[in-house]
């Protein structure tokens, strides 16, 4: 094990796969000479050259489409879109082409490509640069969407994404880049579509992903001091979704809270709540509660931005309210 940052874990996964497979190449804005806006690709151009680390114009639709064509011909492109907000400019290529080609052509062509892109607020980047719109892609059959919350998962899920034969969107979160944690020294990929129980508990299930999975662990740690035993389910993958792990956890604890960084209305949490209703309704001792960001374009002013984003205190309040509801039922 090595203790490294989330940022370094992504870098190591990319570099390792480029060394392992000459068909892997990187493409995106400012990833070469500038070494990436978040320095994930630092040193890559010098090591692998411009053929495999390709700087592009500011043209998300163009370079994403070029990557799709390269993938169809046998290469394994890793596209960096500077923020998930800018992926909207490539929405047609991602949704109507990358996700559809395998099915539309009866399996005659595959699109083994990765789109890695950060999202999330808290950095004072304004409403159009701070969104959590992963739902757009998790909604689409033919796509896979993963959302690592720790450095270990950042590495293992990136390895899995690059080796997968389908298009995979790797959702990163700006607030996680500088977090650190233990990462195995081996290069074993994770299983896409498999959630993780990151903390065992008996009193209540908290389901979360990306930054909010880290928030869930913080909340669970604080509540442990009060004798409240929280089980944390980190989704890790939004499509495919590991419904079995969610249902099994709620059947064990009999109540649940869902944490998400996106908006409440039509959010990922709605799908999780529906999953729990379908698979564990008879085990529930209280309604499923959801914690999400405020239903507003994210403000630029720091106090307002902080107030709009879900926090550890928000998670704790929801957990306590759910357990209070259980207690009232006796």
């Amino acid at each position: 094990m090595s203790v490294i940052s989330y940022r370094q874990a992504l870098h190591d996964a990319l570099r390792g796969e480029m060394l392992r497979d000459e068909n892997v190449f990187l493409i995106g804005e400012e990833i070469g000479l500038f070494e990436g806006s978040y320095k994930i690709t630092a040193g890559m151009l010098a090591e692998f050259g411009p053929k495999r680390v390709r700087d592009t114009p500011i043209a998300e639709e163009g370079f994403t489409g070029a990557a799709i064509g390269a993938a169809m011909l046998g290469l394994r492109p890793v596209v960096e879109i500077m923020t998930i907000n800018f992926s909207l400019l490539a929405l047609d290529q991602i949704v109507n082409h990358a996700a559809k080609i395998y099915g539309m052509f009866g399996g005659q062509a595959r699109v083994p490509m990765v789109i890695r892109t950060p999202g999330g607020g808290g950095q004072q980047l304004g409403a159009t640069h701070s969104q959590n719109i992963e739902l757009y892609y998790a909604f689409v059959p033919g796509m896979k969407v993963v959302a690592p919350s720790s450095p270990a998962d950042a590495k293992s899920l990136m390895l899995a994404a690059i080796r997968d034969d389908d298009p995979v969107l790797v959702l990163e979160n700006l607030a996680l880049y500088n977090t650190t944690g233990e990462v195995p020294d081996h290069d074993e990929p994770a299983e896409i579509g498999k959630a993780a129980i990151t903390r065992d508990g008996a009193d209540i299930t908290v389901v979360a992903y990306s930054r909010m999975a880290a928030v869930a662990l913080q909340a669970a740690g604080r509540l442990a001091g009060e004798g409240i035993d929280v089980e944390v389910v980190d989704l890790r993958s939004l499509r495919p979704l590991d419904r079995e792990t969610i249902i099994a956890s709620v059947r064990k604890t009999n109540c649940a809270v869902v944490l998400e960084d996106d908006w409440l209305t039509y959010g990922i949490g709605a799908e999780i709540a529906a999953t729990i209703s379908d698979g564990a309704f008879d085990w529930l001792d209280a309604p499923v509660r959801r914690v999400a960001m405020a239903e507003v374009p994210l403000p630029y002013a720091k106090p307002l931005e902080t107030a709009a984003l879900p926090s550890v205190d928000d998670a704790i309040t929801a957990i306590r309210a759910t357990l209070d509801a259980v207690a009232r039922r006796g």
Side-chain angles (χ1 to χ4, degrees):
M1 291 280 189
S2 301
V3 177
I4 60 175
S5 69
Y6 189 103
R7 183 194 316 275
Q8 186 65 44
L10 290 169
H11 172 276
D12 291 353
L14 293 173
R15 180 175 180 272
E17 289 304 281
M18 290 184 75
L19 290 169
R20 187 186 68 85
D21 184 351
E22 64 180 10
N23 289 318
V24 177
F25 73 97
L26 312 181
I27 182 170
E29 298 162 1
E30 299 182 343
I31 65 169
L33 287 173
F34 190 66
E35 299 189 321
S37 295
Y38 312 104
K39 304 307 176 187
I40 307 298
T41 54
M44 298 288 200
L45 178 62
E47 182 170 5
F48 296 104
K51 184 177 180 180
R52 297 184 66 195
V53 181
R54 305 193 69 91
D55 276 323
T56 69
I58 302 174
E60 284 78 8
E61 182 178 22
F63 64 73
T64 302
I68 291 169
M72 291 175 69
L73 293 174
L75 299 180
R76 289 185 175 269
V78 179
V79 178
E80 177 178 315
I81 296 181
M82 196 177 293
T83 86
I84 197 169
N85 310 276
F86 300 164
S87 72
L88 297 177
L89 296 164
L91 198 61
D92 176 62
Q93 293 294 339
I94 298 169
V95 172
N96 281 332
H97 299 281
K100 304 289 195 298
I101 283 170
Y102 180 76
M104 286 178 63
F105 293 98
Q108 295 180 80
R110 304 202 75 127
V111 185
M113 68 180 289
V114 173
I115 300 169
R116 45 167 300 266
T117 184
Q123 316 302 313
Q124 283 191 277
L125 296 175
T128 61
H129 290 62
S130 305
Q131 300 178 101
N132 295 278
I133 52 174
E134 53 272 11
L135 175 65
Y136 291 16
Y137 304 107
F139 175 69
V140 180
M143 289 293 299
K144 295 178 180 177
V145 180
V146 298
S149 67
S150 68
D153 279 352
K155 180 179 179 181
S156 62
L157 285 169
M158 182 62 75
L159 294 175
I162 293 173
R163 298 179 193 183
D164 201 283
D165 287 331
D166 294 315
V168 183
L169 185 137
V170 179
L171 175 69
E172 302 161 12
N173 189 290
L174 290 168
L176 295 176
Y177 278 147
N178 290 328
T179 59
T180 59
E182 288 189 339
V183 176
D185 295 324
H186 61 70
D187 288 334
E188 289 298 321
E191 180 182 350
I192 294 178
K194 185 66 177 174
I197 304 293
T198 54
R199 184 184 178 109
D200 288 318
D203 293 336
I204 188 169
T205 296
V206 175
V207 184
Y209 67 94
S210 191
R211 181 185 79 92
M212 293 308 289
V215 167
L217 288 175
Q218 294 175 52
R222 282 172 52 179
L223 289 169
E226 303 175 18
I228 297 173
D229 193 15
V230 177
E231 178 151 297
V232 177
V233 178
D234 183 347
L235 293 177
R236 303 170 80 229
S237 173
L238 304 181
R239 180 181 279 271
L241 182 63
D242 185 357
R243 302 179 193 273
E244 292 77 12
T245 295
I246 298 166
I247 291 167
S249 178
V250 176
R251 287 185 177 186
K252 172 181 147 183
T253 65
N254 307 115
C255 53
V257 169
V258 184
L259 309 181
E260 56 192 313
D261 248 338
D262 58 351
W263 295 298
L264 192 76
T265 303
Y266 306 116
I268 299 291
E271 183 66 28
I272 304 307
T275 295
I276 293 169
S277 179
D278 287 345
F281 182 81
D282 290 338
W283 282 261
L284 284 174
D285 290 335
V288 176
R289 276 181 169 78
R290 294 171 58 197
V291 177
M293 73 168 286
E295 301 261 331
V296 296
L298 199 63
Y300 172 80
K302 190 61 177 178
L304 293 176
E305 182 184 45
T306 300
L309 292 171
S311 67
V312 175
D313 287 339
D314 294 331
I316 288 174
T317 297
I319 292 167
R320 285 177 174 153
T322 303
L323 291 174
D324 286 345
V326 172
R328 286 195 299 272
R329 292 191 60 180

